[in-house]
């Protein structure tokens, strides 16, 4: 089928898209390129279109583009961004230069949401969804290692999606060839210190994001890995000898020769004053105005969190649960850090627990040999071209979903 394209320019980026996409407007820019909002006149829905920036400028970019594309096609979970379409305006492999990915349009990234005064209901719901998305990635054998607020997007109905798939297994944590500054504030100690890692490496990032929601500022804003490590130990304390023993000799030498810090208690790091205070009236109104759906248990429709008997007492309880969860996530030694499964069962989070969301069917396992494969730019280009062309015949839409359970809205 012949598609007609047209071109729009935004500063230094030219978007050439099929005529079915109208009303393009820039939404955000990441390490990989510009993202525009648009209206899809065929499906009659708003979409986000990401143009991968110069995907074939070198092997690193090309490999990353291929990996991202493969993974987006593989994973299907409500808390991970899904691919709706992909296209290239070039007509043959010889001319192939640009890759565009079309995704569901979300309203904002988490950087913007962190600035808001979130109550416990919204905060716990956002965290619950992050954990569901992360758990799903883990089931596909993908350990993210680089979760951060700019790569998580939300809608005003408080639904959340993770935008990317993090670092490839073989990725060095320092190397980049874009002028774009990579944020490392959310990377776990085992990533910063170049240690082995397991799934709960991603819990650290969730802890950093949660702590930032409460404190209103980045917890460990290091200028580089060394500065970041210092910020971590100044607040959380020097880790145990057992942790040091697992470091590579040169790193261990550095880490052991830092001044010793005893760290602060979580009551000091996150004092009561930082948490939402009396909001009884506000909560009552929200509960009364909540839409009602059939088909869900009343425990799920109206979880306890919505019914503060006494708002101050309720908020105190929630604040102490939130602090307890943080104290289990922000643990330097991964062997002592909470797992994703246990975080989902934590009292602060489990009010939202839904078996179908937490244990959605696992995606097919990701073939990590892609990350290890060595190809020339030209070969990657061929592989990506095939993927894009294949994608132009998308599979039939999935079966209809049950109506969504009521959720807290982000607008106040
Ligand atoms: P990325 O290139 O994927 O890191 O995205 C860069 C920025 O574009 C994000 O931080 C978001 O602000 C925005 N963005 C990306 N994807 C979407 C989307 N599907 N809906 C709305 N905004 C998005």
């Amino acid at each position: 089928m012949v598609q007609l394209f047209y071109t729009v320019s935004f500063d230094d980026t030219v978007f050439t898209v099929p005529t079915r996409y109208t009303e393009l407007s820039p939404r955000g820019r990441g390490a990989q390129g510009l993202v525009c909002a648009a209206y899809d006149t065929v499906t009659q829905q708003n979409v986000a279109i990401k143009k991968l920036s110069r995907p074939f400028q070198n092997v690193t970019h090309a490999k990353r583009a291929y990996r991202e594309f493969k993974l987006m096609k593989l994973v299907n979970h409500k808390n991970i961004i899904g691919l709706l379409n992909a296209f290239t305006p070039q007509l043959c492999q010889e001319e192939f230069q640009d890759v565009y990915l079309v995704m569901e349009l979300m309203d904002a990234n988490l950087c913007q949401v962190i600035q808001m005064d979130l109550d416990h209901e919204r905060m716990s719901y956002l965290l619950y969804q992050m954990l569901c998305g992360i758990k799903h990635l883990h089931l596909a054998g993908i350990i993210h290692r680089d979760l951060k607020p700019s790569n998580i997007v939300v809608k005003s109905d408080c639904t959340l999606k993770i935008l990317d798939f993090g670092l490839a297994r073989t990725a060095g944590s320092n190397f980049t060839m874009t002028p774009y500054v990579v944020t490392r504030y959310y990377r776990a100690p085992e990533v910063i210190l170049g240690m082995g890692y397991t799934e709960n490496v991603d819990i650290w990032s969730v802890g950093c994001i949660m702590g930032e929601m409460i404190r209103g500022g980045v917890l460990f804003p290091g200028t580089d890995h060394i500065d970041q490590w210092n910020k971590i130990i100044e607040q959380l304390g020097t880790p145990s000898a057992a942790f040091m023993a697992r470091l590579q000799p040169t790193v261990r030498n550095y880490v052991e020769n830092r001044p010793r810090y005893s760290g602060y208690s979580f009551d000091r790091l996150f004092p009561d004053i930082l948490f939402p205070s009396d909001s009884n009236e506000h909560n009552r109104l929200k509960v009364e105005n909540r839409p009602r759906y059939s088909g869900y248990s009343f425990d799920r429709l109206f979880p306890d969190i919505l019914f503060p008997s006494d708002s101050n007492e309720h908020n105190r309880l929630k604040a102490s649960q939130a602090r307890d969860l943080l104290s289990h996530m922000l643990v330097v030694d991964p062997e002592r850090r909470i797992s994703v499964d246990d975080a989902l069962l934590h009292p602060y989070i489990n009010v939202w627990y839904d078996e179908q969301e937490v244990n959605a069917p696992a995606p097919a396992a990701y073939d990590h040999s892609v990350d290890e494969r060595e190809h020339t730019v030209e070969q990657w280009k061929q592989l990506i071209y095939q993927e894009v062309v294949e994608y132009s015949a998308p599979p039939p839409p999935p079966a209809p979903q049950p109506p969504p359970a009521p959720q807290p809205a982000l607008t106040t």
Side-chain angles (χ1 to χ4, degrees):
M1 192 178 71
V2 180
Q3 287 197 91
L4 291 177
F5 287 81
Y6 73 105
T7 293
V8 200
S9 292
F10 303 103
D11 295 331
D12 56 343
T13 310
V14 174
F15 263 59
T16 303
V17 301
T19 48
R20 69 184 271 187
Y21 299 112
T22 61
E23 300 168 39
L24 266 69
S25 68
R27 263 308 164 92
R29 188 181 283 279
Q32 280 183 290
L34 184 67
V35 177
C36 279
Y39 181 69
D40 182 351
T41 53
V42 173
T43 60
Q44 303 192 346
Q45 71 182 125
N46 293 320
V47 294
I49 305 180
K50 174 151 95 174
K51 179 181 181 181
L52 299 186
S53 112
R54 300 170 62 212
F56 310 119
Q57 65 182 291
N58 59 45
V59 172
T60 312
H61 275 232
K63 197 173 186 173
R64 178 164 182 149
Y66 183 76
R67 176 174 184 270
E68 200 80 6
F69 194 20
K70 273 281 202 206
L71 286 171
M72 264 189 151
K73 282 166 73 173
L74 184 77
V75 175
N76 175 21
H77 186 273
K78 66 204 277 189
N79 301 124
I80 312 281
I81 201 81
L83 191 62
L84 300 174
N85 193 7
F87 61 84
T88 171
Q90 286 89 40
L91 296 175
C92 60
Q93 194 169 307
E94 292 66 44
E95 289 170 15
F96 183 44
Q97 271 312 320
D98 300 315
V99 180
Y100 293 81
L101 305 178
V102 183
M103 306 161 274
E104 185 186 349
L105 181 66
M106 304 292 280
D107 292 324
N109 69 29
L110 214 58
C111 305
Q112 294 150 293
V113 174
I114 284 177
Q115 313 296 322
M116 297 166 68
D117 250 342
L118 293 169
D119 58 19
H120 289 296
E121 188 195 14
R122 291 177 179 83
M123 186 152 57
S124 60
Y125 188 55
L126 292 171
L127 293 165
Y128 164 73
Q129 293 174 88
M130 267 177 237
L131 291 166
C132 288
I134 290 169
K135 174 161 179 166
H136 196 70
L137 290 181
H138 291 173
L139 284 176
I142 303 156
I143 301 182
H144 195 294
R145 291 190 289 152
D146 198 25
L147 281 163
K148 50 187 139 191
S150 60
N151 287 343
I152 297 174
V153 276
V154 292
K155 271 193 176 169
S156 57
D157 64 1
C158 215
T159 51
L160 172 149
K161 290 180 197 280
I162 297 171
L163 272 184
D164 74 331
F165 302 93
L167 305 174
R169 260 191 208 177
T170 50
S173 60
N174 278 316
F175 181 70
T176 171
M177 290 200 45
T178 50
Y180 181 86
V181 181
V182 178
T183 307
R184 299 196 174 87
Y185 305 152
Y186 306 88
R187 290 191 182 169
E190 54 269 42
V191 177
I192 298 174
L193 300 175
M195 305 165 79
Y197 59 91
T198 62
E199 279 83 352
N200 73 354
V201 67
D202 291 331
I203 284 284
W204 176 272
S205 312
V206 178
C208 291
I209 293 170
M210 180 179 180
E212 189 171 332
M213 285 170 166
I214 294 163
R215 201 182 273 176
V218 176
L219 299 190
F220 311 118
T223 47
D224 53 43
H225 277 172
I226 289 181
D227 188 36
Q228 189 149 348
W229 175 248
N230 291 338
K231 295 240 161 42
I232 292 172
I233 56 172
E234 278 162 25
Q235 294 180 58
L236 300 181
T238 303
S240 67
F243 176 83
M244 306 281 195
R246 300 202 301 274
L247 294 168
Q248 300 162 27
T250 45
V251 180
R252 180 174 176 174
N253 191 34
Y254 171 78
V255 168
E256 283 187 333
N257 284 308
R258 302 294 312 143
R260 295 197 73 75
Y261 294 96
S262 46
Y264 296 94
S265 71
F266 276 75
D267 283 337
R268 287 269 314 265
L269 290 171
F270 300 98
D272 278 343
I273 192 138
L274 295 178
F275 288 90
S277 55
D278 191 331
S279 59
N280 202 21
E281 183 59 11
H282 169 72
N283 274 337
R284 195 177 57 74
L285 284 173
K286 268 197 325 218
V287 171
E288 281 175 5
N289 291 324
R290 180 153 284 234
R292 283 155 203 261
Y293 298 97
S294 58
Y296 283 85
S297 78
F298 276 81
D299 282 349
R300 165 110 175 109
L301 283 169
F302 303 106
D304 283 349
I305 196 170
L306 297 178
F307 294 106
S309 47
D310 165 86
S311 71
N312 283 329
E313 199 183 302
H314 167 80
N315 278 323
R316 259 198 302 278
L317 172 68
K318 286 287 135 199
S320 78
Q321 287 177 345
R323 204 182 281 114
D324 181 76
L325 177 58
L326 267 175
S327 73
H328 287 92
M329 296 202 289
L330 292 175
V331 175
V332 170
D333 186 344
E335 290 190 0
R336 295 177 43 232
R337 194 181 303 144
I338 195 168
S339 66
V340 175
D341 285 332
D342 287 345
L344 278 160
L345 292 173
H346 188 278
Y348 192 65
I349 301 293
N350 77 358
V351 287
W352 302 108
Y353 199 98
D354 178 321
E355 188 58 29
Q356 287 179 356
E357 292 163 351
V358 174
N359 288 316
Y366 173 58
D367 175 9
H368 284 280
S369 66
V370 170
D371 298 347
E372 276 120 50
R373 253 190 252 165
E374 296 301 336
H375 288 307
T376 62
V377 169
E378 215 34 58
Q379 288 166 328
W380 282 118
K381 206 169 172 175
Q382 270 178 28
L383 288 167
I384 296 174
Y385 187 74
Q386 277 157 20
E387 292 287 334
V388 175
V389 170
E390 254 175 50
Y391 203 82
S392 52
Q401 300 288 309
Q407 297 138 355
L410 269 176
T411 42
T412 46

